Amino acid sequence: MPLDDSTLELISKAALLIKSSRYFIALTGAGVSVESGIRPFRGPGGLWTEFGEPSTDGYRSFENNPRKYWEEKINPVRRSSFGDSLSEAKPNAGHLAFSDLETMGILKSLITQNIDDLHIEAGNKNVLEIHGNKLKLRCVRCNTRFQKTGFNLSTLPPKCPKCGGIVKDDVVMFGEPIPRDVLVACQAEAERSDCILVVGTSAVVYPAASLPLIVNDRGGVIIEINPLESDLSSICDVVVRASSGEAMPALVEALKRLA
Ligand code: APR
């Protein structure tokens, strides 16, 4: 459905704010991948809405028995349709628009809560994956990341070739602290920014949801694209109630007209 005039007006207003900003960044969540066939977690059609949120002791059981964690990973009891959707998904028009904003030199960095690698597949280079990446493994001692493909799993739990620490999936589990290197990098980007675009997140999971607050506390601008209300909507300067796949390409067009 084409965007209506009032929504297009809000997108033009957002484009003006972005154009006059000094250091523009973005924060994305599951909503940007919905149009790629991946379910969100909360709200209508959400995975947790249907199955309930996972318990937070997932990471503790990994720490207690990393070998069991790996055995279950290698021989999962059952396939998950969510897992299948992750492996089949392709970037949508929203992802491609973010890549255009980086190529245009407007978007300085993109912080995503998504583990689906779709922003990188779409072409974005300056991406911080605060919850990890499905294609990578990570050493829990030195935080070195490794491509999953071809990693030696002959002994379980696999050890880090650099420091000998235990290696796990890069995806951050419930109850697991965000790896310090990526958290510090995300906070540094928020502290540098005077304008943040927040797309497709309910903004209820911290510390990711604190990043727009950092920008706001420093007098910066927050722009939201989300078809529904989020925990952040009330403090946003511009709120666009539309899907990412429709609104993001329109935002790129509006910025091109201003260029
Ligand atoms: N375009 C834009 N936004 C959308 C779209 C769409 N097509 N479809 C849904 N949304 C919005 C929803 O209205 C909701 O506000 O995307 C948001 C998705 O929210 P969540 O499912 O809570 O996802 P997210 O905020 O990314 O969750 C954060 O929680 O479960 C953990 O680790 C998981 O990274 C995840 C974190």
Side-chain angles (χ1 to χ4, degrees):
M1 207 178 53
L3 299 170
D4 61 30
D5 291 351
S6 62
T7 304
L8 289 170
E9 249 169 63
L10 288 167
I11 289 173
S12 301
K13 186 176 171 198
L16 275 171
L17 289 169
I18 293 167
K19 177 132 176 70
S20 56
S21 70
R22 187 183 33 74
Y23 198 81
F24 170 60
I25 67 172
L27 172 69
T28 67
V32 294
S33 296
V34 165
E35 290 149 282
S36 294
I38 304 176
R39 296 173 68 170
F41 299 101
R42 299 169 189 84
L47 209 58
W48 310 153
T49 311
E50 182 177 352
F51 300 108
E53 290 230 356
S55 73
T56 53
D57 58 14
Y59 186 61
R60 203 169 319 119
S61 46
F62 158 76
E63 287 181 308
N64 293 342
N65 192 341
R67 183 186 172 86
K68 183 163 171 277
Y69 159 89
W70 272 101
E71 283 164 353
E72 284 169 1
K73 260 188 95 51
I74 293 171
N75 307 306
V77 182
R78 66 181 177 285
R79 282 174 72 89
S80 85
S81 60
F82 183 72
D84 294 345
S85 68
L86 268 178
S87 43
E88 286 146 20
K90 289 286 166 229
N92 63 58
H95 295 107
L96 299 173
F98 277 106
S99 177
D100 290 344
L101 290 176
E102 187 182 286
T103 312
M104 291 157 72
I106 295 173
L107 182 65
K108 304 298 187 236
S109 68
L110 189 156
I111 300 167
T112 188
Q113 298 168 85
N114 302 342
I115 61 159
D116 54 33
D117 198 60
L118 293 179
H119 281 302
I120 292 167
E121 212 178 309
N124 280 86
K125 304 277 180 292
N126 306 325
V127 180
L128 292 167
E129 297 166 302
I130 193 168
H131 294 158
N133 182 304
K134 68 173 185 171
L135 302 177
K136 296 179 184 165
L137 301 175
R138 173 173 33 90
C139 168
V140 294
R141 186 192 290 165
C142 69
N143 275 339
T144 304
R145 277 100 177 155
F146 308 93
Q147 285 303 320
K148 225 177 238 182
T149 319
F151 194 86
N152 178 355
L153 296 177
S154 55
T155 56
L156 298 181
K159 296 291 170 55
C160 173
K162 275 179 72 178
C163 79
I166 290 178
V167 169
K168 67 176 284 293
D169 211 304
D170 185 33
V171 174
V172 176
M173 303 169 81
F174 273 73
E176 180 177 1
I178 303 288
R180 192 158 171 67
D181 56 349
V182 70
L183 180 60
V184 168
C186 290
Q187 289 166 336
E189 287 301 293
E191 271 143 22
R192 283 181 80 179
S193 177
D194 59 345
C195 181
I196 185 168
L197 173 64
V198 182
V199 183
T201 181
S202 55
V204 297
V205 173
Y206 286 75
S210 69
L211 301 168
L213 305 181
I214 294 173
V215 177
N216 188 55
D217 291 349
R218 299 177 60 259
V221 164
I222 309 178
I223 299 162
E224 178 179 67
I225 294 178
N226 191 324
L228 299 174
E229 180 99 7
S230 78
D231 265 23
L232 207 61
S233 302
S234 60
I235 64 163
C236 291
D237 301 272
V238 177
V239 173
V240 177
R241 291 273 168 255
S243 75
S244 167
E246 289 172 326
M248 286 301 301
L251 180 62
V252 169
E253 288 317 306
L255 282 158
K256 281 184 180 160
R257 283 196 299 277
L258 289 175

